[in-house]
Structures are given as structure tokens and as C-alpha cells.
Amino acid sequence: MVGYAFMGAAHSHAWRTAPRFFDLPLAPELAAVAGRNREGVRAAAAKYGWDSVETDWRALIERDDIDLIDICTPGNTHAEIAIAALEAGKHVLCEKPLANSVAEAEQMAAAADAAAGRGVYSMCGFSYRRTPALALARRMVAEGRLGQIRHVRAQYLQDWLSDADAPLTWRLDKTKSGSGALGDIGAHSIDAAQWITGRNITGVSALLETFVTERPLAGDLVGLGGLGAAGAPRGPVTVDDAALFTARFAGTPDDGAASGPIGIFEATRFALGRKNAMRLELNGTLGSLAFDFEDMNSLSVYDAGQEPDAGFRRIMVTEPSHPYTGNWWPTGHGLGYEHVFTHQVVDLVTAIGAGEQPSPSFADALQVQKVLAAIETSAGNNSHWHTL
């Protein structure tokens, strides 16, 4: 694994936990973790259960005892690490968004395609796909339970940047992160919406906003944010704080129309009181469904044919028949954020063991990257409609 902060902790937990609750075709061994700070990476290895440490990610790729590279670093490093690993015959798990630009993502997708021909596979970490309720939503859409999809409504609301004195971290530096709320959390909504509906976004009209343009260069980190040091010099924020966009999805002959569903998306890290409200609602001709990650163990469903006057009903997604949940606790004993990463490891290792391409592939992640780029293009052009 390369990187050992927030995502590194989540991924480490997943690698340790997956084989203890699921029957996997291969046994993960936590061979080594890499980070530039020797003291920091040693502490992380001891805490998270890694056997050894490296201070240069290239050393991981050179080691014969390592088969897979897990990339948990800022976006500006993804392309170099992933391409080198794939060319060296290592499988790759790469955090989202795939890269900081479409050009980098295209290079990564090409490298992944070439590697797959040699039996070397890669996957992008859009972890929310592994939330049981969202996986159930995808199943219901695929079964035709909602009929023809007309509306897609997505929000990802957080508040950890609301304090104007929160310190300037790498997530606020475009050269490292690629974008702000758009790529950090909006990318999850884009991927989930496309995955659940089975349709790609084909056009957008967007607005990006930066509310706080300068932040302290020093301070105490707490979670993702924190408190800037009093009197510390301030540096420029070079990413968006919030992103809004409307979207059109691809149509199919079954739609009976020239184009597919319409969508509206919002991503912000300034929604006071919203801690991790990743929300998705779909409205179709036969029914609707709604999800909020702050209530992640439930899915709200409306069936217009069965009880048209009853409104939504709440499904507790903890039954053995629901995706992933049968390997965990008795019915009604909910799961948490960390479990989606365990499911990610399960799906990745299962695919590698079967010699199959894991999902989402780098090609899938490239599609999301193209949507992110289209949003930035539209926002930079007075919100004019931009077709992918």
C-alpha cells in the first residue's frame, strides 16, 4: 500500500478483515506500506498490521513478494504509480478519482487494458458501490422495478470546511487534488448514479464556487479539517468548495424518447450539520427509491403499483438475501463505513482469483473523469451546456 493516512487506515482495515468474514480465492498478506516519512510510516505499519515499510513507492514495485499495489495517495501521484505497477506485472487498486486530468486517466486506462491482456488487473476505489443498500438499489433498477427512469437526484453534503480558519491541506491545492468538492465527493455521486442506472452522463451545465479563498498554512488537523494556527500566514485555496450541475443521461430504445433521464447534482463541504450525507434518489414510471448514507443501512422505496397512496416504505438492508450482508451479523445489526472497503477487497480479490476484470475498471473511472472535466469546462464558460 502506498500512503497511510485516512484512506490508508480504511484500506488496511479492509485487507485484514475481508478474509475473516468472506471465503476468498486468494489470501491477502499485508507485506509492506510505503510513505515518505520513515517515522510516520513505521508507526502506521505497527498500528495497521503491515509486515514492513518502504520510504519510496518504487521499492514496492521492485519487490518480488508483492503482487498488488494499493494506491491511497493524492491524485497527482496516481498515474505514475499505477502505470509503473501495471507494467511491472502488479495488480492495482487505485483510490478515486482516478487521476487529476483526463489525459492522465486515459494513460492509466490504456496501461490497464494492456495489462489485462497479460492477466494483470486493476480497479478504481469507488467504494460507495459496495454499500449494501446502493447495491440493492442497482439490483432493483436492473429488475425493472422502477420502470423507465426519469429523474436522478444526487447530493453529497459535508461540513468539515465550513470554518474559514480550517488549515490549508492538500485537498485544497489543485495541483495535488485536481479539484475540490467536485472530485473529492462529487465523483462518488457521479459514479453511483451511472452505475445504478446503467447509463452514462452525456452532457452537463455546471456552477463551481469557492467561498473561502485563503486559509492558514499551519494549524492542528482534526479529521479532514481542523483549526488553523492563530496569526499564521494564509495561502490560496485553488479548488472549488461547492459544485452544482444539471445532467442528461444516455437514452435507450426502451425510453421511447430521444434522450435518457435528467439529473441534478450537488457536492459541498460547507453544508453545516451534514456530516456525510451522500444521497441519491431515482424517480421512474413505476416507482422511486431514495438513499442517504447517514442512514446507510436502509433504502426507501415507493412502488406506485402496490400502494399508490402509501408513500415510501423503508427497507432495512440487513437481510441475508441482500448484497454482502449475509456474511456479517444477524438481521437488523447494521454495518458501518468501514464495511464498504471490506466489500471492495472481496470483489477485487474474487475477480483476480477468477481471472476476470474487476469493476469499476480504469475505463469506468475514465468516464467519471470525463464528466468531472466537462463540469469544469461548463463552469468556466458561464454554465453553458457541455456535451461529453
Side-chain angles (χ1 to χ4, degrees), residues 163-170 215-235:
D163 183 354
D165 289 324
L168 188 71
T169 66
W170 70 266
R215 291 185 177 274
L217 294 172
D220 296 322
L221 291 177
V222 179
L224 295 174
L227 182 64
R234 301 173 80 91

Side-chain angles (χ1 to χ4, degrees), residues 184-197:
D184 185 25
I185 55 180
H188 276 302
S189 294
I190 294 166
D191 178 72
Q194 293 188 144
W195 177 64
I196 291 172
T197 62

